[in-house]
Amino acid sequence: MISIRQRKGVKTTEVSEDYAAQEANVKLENKLPSGCTTRRLWKLLSFIVGGTIALCIGLLTSVYLATLHENDLWFSNIKEVEREISFRTECGLYYSYYKQMLQAPTLMQGFHGLIYDNKTESMRTINLLQRMNIYQEVFLSILYRVLPIQKYLEPVYFYIYTLFGLQAIYVTALYITSWLLSGTWLSGLLAAFWYVTNRIDTTRVEFTIPLRENWALPFFAIQIAAITYFLRPNLQPLSERLTLLAIFISTFLFSLTWQFNQFMMLMQALVLFTLDSLDMLPAVKATWLYGIQMTGLLLVCILQFFNSMILGSLLISFNLSVLIARKLQKNLKTGSFLNRLGKLLLHLFAVLCLTLFLNNIIKKLLNLKSDEHIFKFLKAKFGFGATRDFDANLYLCEEAFGLLPFNTFGRLSDTLLFYAYIFVLSITVMAALAVAFHNLSDSARQQSTGQMGKCTIILKPETAYNLIHTILFGFLALSTMRMKYLWTSHMCVFASFGLCSPEIWELLLKSIHLYNPKRICIMRYSVPILILLYLCYKFWPGMMDELSELREFYDPDTVELMDWINSHTPRKAVFAGSMQLLAGVKLCTGRTLTNHPHYEDNSLRERTKAVYQIYAKRSPEDVHALLRSFGTDYVILEDSICYERRHQRGCRLRDLLDIANGHMMDGPGENDPDLKLAGHPRFCEEIKRNLPPYTAYFTRVFQNKTFHVYKLLRNK
């Protein structure tokens, strides 16, 4: 098992008349040449200072995370095999394709090896560029070959520094989004500080570097920043076109780098649908964004050799349904409150029905089953019936796919982020409800430009977008812990924007009858500055201690296993075992696998379940036959799985296999009445006794404290 040890020897309401008069006075003053020049110089200075701070804070965050990674593993000092083992589970699988491209004699041979791969899944030739989102590894390998850096920078460092560099872009994008919403770069600085001080809950890049989300989320943040700017009213045509281009490029790159892009963008589409239905953003802009989502996804589909999972995505079906339903339902945004409400409910029903109809038709035409495990998991998770499906239970029993732990809110509260977030969220939700009611109850008046302007002062379109975005992604994070990184980073943006927003403070001060323009100015600058001082005072010493703590990577058993495989097995040998371990086997040894952690393929899921019978109660004949059907030469058994104690009874891997096979589980506790006693002992335990029924099929060729490797005898 991988562990870390201490290094040895290394110690929205209406605008008041007074406020309108003040605005008129400001406009009058701005007409004066001296006032206009001063204002422009001040804006330019503010832009330069804010932009410089954004770049600096992004780079500092990148260096901070890279230093933590180095200090945690002593990455610069450990052997190459230890570096590769540190890329855990699917991270190692993705990095192996970068390594494969670099080891290929030519780029064309490297591409050919990815398109016609027969080492990732034994006895099968698959197109990796179609199956997986690994274009980023291809791009980096080409860059490394082309750039004159081979003498100065090892391939692994070029890879990890690129990922840490993307973190600089990520933080800068969050900073800019908050700045755009509030009008002051101070909120961007606060957002960046919150992102760093809540690092445990905002990112995991320092210990899961090649993970797809670490590639994708920086582009997602850029897209949100661009959408925030795009939704501003009265943009110049050139600015609008350039912003649309930025949205398209970031959407395309986000879609290209993460297989779960379609589900995240479906949430975005729901945000747009909600705001469009409630007249909180212009319908034309919503249409543009729907189109960009579909175009970006379809372009990725082409690059991935027409990946059927993309064509059968709910996002494409939903966006098409919205556009079709809007054409069919005329005069959707006219009439009285009850009339509008009835039309809206009918529109919602029509869109949902049309989405399900189109999605089912597309999936039947394509015979698509790649994502059915996700829907089985969701069905079981939200209580629509218990399931014995092995794949669904495999997700349900993982902590990462469970509910968000309550202690997360304690950590977020320590930095005052959660309190600020709830404060801003409460005010903006009330403003949004007021605007929604106003829009639905007086449709005729909303046709006039003046009245529309009065409403958007309460809750501007870009603010409304980020509000619904944070609410929907909040529900997603609460239901599935792994998705919290999408929410917590945006939480930093939304909370910092609210504390620096004049509109938020105006609403609050008016509600308690303390409104004064000077008070707004004082509050929007003093509160963020006080929080920044608090964060520096409380967390700076801890961060310095963290940077001075030196540890090292320590996993001798896995290193010993990989060294043995490299020196004692043929290059073409086929290995079976757990998905997580086999990803490391592929990276460190280049041997052929029976299965791997990229689970978005129905046949692979069936194959994995068959291989995992080594941990079930099956006869040696059955296990041998199953493994040989995949061309297996060696099987690796792990004591940490066979004698697992990490999960409770009913969630251990051996329990999931027993339930799926209709067998009673081990240990004290209840079993479903229809489960039966197995006719054979557990394979992974019994094989270690070297009894004749087992030695006739398997020969142990390697063992240490963690792993047992058996060679399959072919003549049986």
Side-chain angles (χ1 to χ4, degrees):
M1 297 297 291
I2 294 176
S3 63
I4 302 296
R5 67 178 184 181
Q6 200 72 25
R7 294 187 191 176
K8 296 178 181 178
V10 180
K11 293 246 174 270
T12 110
T13 54
E14 289 188 29
V15 181
S16 68
E17 293 180 5
D18 292 338
Y19 188 67
Q22 289 165 10
E23 278 194 337
N25 291 334
V26 169
K27 289 178 181 177
L28 188 61
E29 288 174 9
N30 288 341
K31 290 180 181 178
L32 298 173
S34 59
C36 185
T37 304
T38 306
R39 186 181 178 86
R40 285 179 181 175
L41 286 173
W42 176 251
K43 279 188 174 182
L44 180 62
L45 180 62
S46 178
F47 179 80
I48 292 171
V49 171
T52 304
I53 291 173
L55 294 174
C56 291
I57 201 76
L59 289 171
L60 286 172
T61 303
S62 175
V63 172
Y64 170 64
L65 293 172
T67 305
L68 288 178
H69 174 259
E70 166 63 26
N71 291 356
D72 204 39
L73 301 176
W74 207 357
F75 200 75
S76 60
N77 192 65
I78 58 179
K79 296 185 294 184
E80 186 67 20
V81 65
E82 293 176 311
R83 290 176 178 176
E84 292 178 347
I85 292 170
S86 72
F87 296 140
R88 307 171 189 177
T89 65
E90 62 186 286
C91 299
L93 184 68
Y94 298 133
Y95 182 79
S96 72
Y97 300 123
Y98 169 72
K99 181 181 176 181
Q100 180 178 322
M101 281 290 293
L102 290 177
Q103 291 177 343
T106 65
L107 280 175
M108 290 308 296
Q109 286 178 288
F111 270 110
H112 187 273
L114 295 179
I115 296 172
Y116 302 97
D117 178 90
N118 54 15
K119 295 182 75 67
T120 302
E121 294 176 18
S122 58
M123 303 182 72
R124 293 183 67 186
T125 298
I126 61 173
N127 185 343
L128 292 168
L129 294 177
Q130 180 189 52
R131 178 81 72 81
M132 303 182 191
N133 297 70
I134 57 169
Y135 270 102
Q136 49 267 52
E137 276 74 23
V138 173
F139 177 70
L140 271 195
S141 64
I142 294 171
L143 268 186
Y144 188 79
R145 281 173 174 267
V146 171
L147 297 175
I149 56 174
Q150 289 87 346
K151 292 182 180 180
Y152 316 104
L153 195 64
E154 295 175 66
V156 67
Y157 276 106
F158 182 65
Y159 188 91
I160 66 172
Y161 286 165
T162 300
L163 267 299
F164 288 126
L166 281 175
Q167 282 296 301
I169 295 173
Y170 190 19
V171 173
T172 304
L174 297 176
Y175 180 109
I176 291 170
T177 305
S178 187
W179 186 358
L180 288 171
L181 287 168
S182 66
T184 172
W185 54 261
L186 183 62
S187 69
L189 183 62
L190 181 57
F193 264 67
W194 265 330
Y195 179 86
V196 174
T197 53
N198 291 282
R199 176 179 55 82
I200 293 173
D201 296 301
T202 54
T203 183
R204 50 179 175 165
V205 67
E206 74 270 21
F207 59 90
T208 58
I209 294 175
L211 208 61
R212 303 298 85 180
E213 69 189 46
N214 294 329
W215 285 96
L217 291 186
F219 300 119
F220 192 52
I222 293 171
Q223 186 217 44
I224 293 170
I227 290 174
T228 300
Y229 184 74
F230 175 68
L231 294 179
R232 285 184 164 188
N234 305 319
L235 283 181
Q236 294 296 322
L238 179 60
S239 298
E240 192 167 80
R241 289 193 205 101
L242 290 174
T243 309
L244 284 170
L245 180 63
I247 294 170
F248 172 75
I249 293 172
S250 55
T251 300
F252 167 70
L253 292 174
F254 171 67
S255 303
L256 189 66
T257 50
W258 196 17
Q259 69 268 31
F260 294 132
N261 61 75
Q262 52 180 288
F263 302 105
M264 303 308 108
M265 289 202 294
L266 178 61
M267 302 289 282
Q268 274 193 323
L270 290 172
V271 174
L272 296 173
F273 177 72
T274 303
L275 296 176
D276 184 25
S277 299
L278 297 174
D279 288 347
M280 289 187 178
L281 59 77
V284 175
K285 291 192 174 184
T287 304
W288 269 108
L289 294 175
Y290 287 135
I292 285 175
Q293 281 189 332
M294 290 193 292
T295 306
L297 204 57
L298 289 173
L299 184 56
V300 170
C301 180
I302 294 169
L303 286 175
Q304 289 195 266
F305 297 84
F306 295 94
N307 186 316
S308 59
M309 189 173 172
I310 296 176
L311 292 173
S313 67
L314 274 173
L315 174 68
I316 289 178
S317 301
F318 178 79
N319 285 6
L320 285 174
S321 300
V322 170
L323 298 176
I324 292 169
R326 188 194 287 172
K327 287 289 183 183
L328 294 177
Q329 287 184 282
K330 303 293 184 182
N331 301 322
L332 188 64
K333 298 183 178 182
T334 58
S336 63
F337 176 77
L338 292 177
N339 197 322
R340 281 284 315 264
L341 195 59
K343 287 181 180 179
L344 227 129
L345 293 174
L346 181 62
H347 182 61
L348 175 62
F349 180 74
V351 168
L352 289 177
C353 290
L354 194 54
T355 299
L356 295 175
F357 174 74
L358 287 175
N359 196 248
N360 281 325
I361 292 293
I362 294 171
K363 285 186 174 180
K364 285 182 180 178
L365 289 173
L366 299 175
N367 192 26
L368 178 60
K369 296 181 180 179
S370 299
D371 58 353
E372 66 178 9
H373 65 299
I374 297 173
F375 294 104
K376 286 180 181 177
F377 159 71
L378 292 173
K379 182 180 176 182
K381 183 178 180 67
F382 294 112
F384 296 104
T387 180
R388 289 184 180 176
D389 182 78
F390 175 75
D391 301 317
N393 284 329
L394 202 60
Y395 280 102
L396 285 170
C397 287
E398 282 299 320
E399 184 183 4
F401 293 94
L403 299 176
L404 188 66
F406 191 73
N407 61 8
T408 305
F409 301 106
R411 291 192 298 271
L412 296 174
S413 299
D414 287 342
T415 62
L416 305 181
L417 172 59
F418 188 65
Y419 299 129
Y421 178 75
I422 293 299
F423 166 73
V424 176
L425 187 67
S426 302
I427 295 174
T428 48
V429 164
M430 288 189 289
L433 291 174
V435 173
F437 181 78
H438 178 276
N439 291 348
L440 290 176
S441 61
D442 198 356
S443 302
R445 288 180 61 195
Q446 287 184 23
Q447 302 304 312
S448 70
T449 307
Q451 292 296 325
M452 197 67 178
K454 187 179 287 187
C455 289
T456 54
I457 292 173
I458 299 173
L459 199 69
K460 294 179 285 190
E462 60 267 33
T463 305
Y465 170 82
N466 281 274
L467 169 64
I468 308 300
H469 178 104
T470 196
I471 290 172
L472 289 186
F473 279 90
F475 282 124
L476 181 66
L478 291 172
S479 65
T480 308
M481 188 187 78
R482 185 174 177 178
M483 297 301 171
K484 72 175 180 178
Y485 303 102
L486 289 154
W487 182 44
T488 49
S489 57
H490 193 263
M491 186 188 290
C492 299
V493 170
F494 198 75
S496 60
F497 134 72
L499 294 183
C500 296
S501 169
E503 291 87 0
I504 297 296
W505 287 112
E506 180 186 344
L507 281 170
L508 179 66
L509 293 175
K510 279 187 175 180
S511 65
I512 57 176
H513 306 292
L514 290 174
Y515 170 72
N516 185 301
K518 289 184 179 179
R519 286 199 185 103
I520 291 177
C521 188
I522 291 169
M523 297 301 290
R524 71 181 294 225
Y525 290 112
S526 62
V527 172
I529 289 171
L530 288 173
I531 293 175
L532 284 168
L533 292 173
Y534 167 79
L535 293 176
C536 291
Y537 172 77
K538 184 171 182 180
F539 293 98
W540 183 261
M543 290 171 68
M544 292 300 102
D545 290 342
E546 196 175 31
L547 288 171
S548 63
E549 187 176 356
L550 304 176
R551 292 179 286 183
E552 68 175 327
F553 175 88
Y554 186 71
D555 189 6
D557 290 347
T558 307
V559 171
E560 185 185 10
L561 172 67
M562 298 304 172
D563 288 341
W564 180 86
I565 292 173
N566 274 319
S567 57
H568 290 84
T569 64
R571 291 287 300 172
K572 294 185 178 180
V574 178
F575 278 79
S578 69
M579 296 183 289
Q580 295 81 0
L581 179 63
L582 289 185
V585 170
K586 172 136 189 3
L587 171 58
C588 299
T589 71
R591 300 305 190 263
T592 305
L593 314 179
T594 56
N595 53 305
H596 54 82
H598 195 273
Y599 219 49
E600 279 68 52
D601 180 77
N602 188 52
S603 61
L604 176 66
R605 292 194 292 271
E606 292 174 355
R607 177 182 281 226
T608 299
K609 182 181 176 183
V611 169
Y612 275 10
Q613 297 304 311
I614 58 179
Y615 297 109
K617 297 172 182 176
R618 298 291 293 269
S619 68
E621 297 89 350
D622 289 346
V623 173
H624 184 271
L626 283 169
L627 294 177
R628 284 301 307 150
S629 69
F630 305 127
T632 308
D633 298 310
Y634 298 88
V635 59
I636 307 173
L637 297 174
E638 300 170 64
D639 286 347
S640 59
I641 297 178
C642 191
Y643 307 108
E644 182 185 357
R645 293 185 177 89
R646 183 168 67 95
H647 291 105
Q648 61 183 3
R649 184 177 184 270
C651 265
R652 301 169 297 190
L653 180 61
R654 61 179 186 266
D655 296 336
L656 302 183
L657 290 163
D658 289 343
I659 293 170
N661 293 339
H663 298 154
M664 296 176 67
M665 293 181 289
D666 293 337
E670 295 183 356
N671 288 285
D672 290 343
D674 59 329
L675 296 178
K676 300 176 182 178
L677 284 170
H680 301 279
R682 194 167 302 284
F683 177 84
C684 64
E685 296 176 355
E686 201 69 11
I687 193 174
K688 294 170 188 173
R689 298 175 60 189
N690 290 323
L691 298 175
Y694 292 85
T695 56
Y697 294 95
F698 303 91
T699 300
R700 184 162 57 196
V701 290
F702 172 85
Q703 70 172 331
N704 60 23
K705 291 184 293 183
T706 305
F707 305 106
H708 302 261
V709 182
Y710 292 86
K711 184 175 182 179
L712 277 70
L713 302 179
R714 297 194 178 197
N715 59 333
K716 297 293 179 179

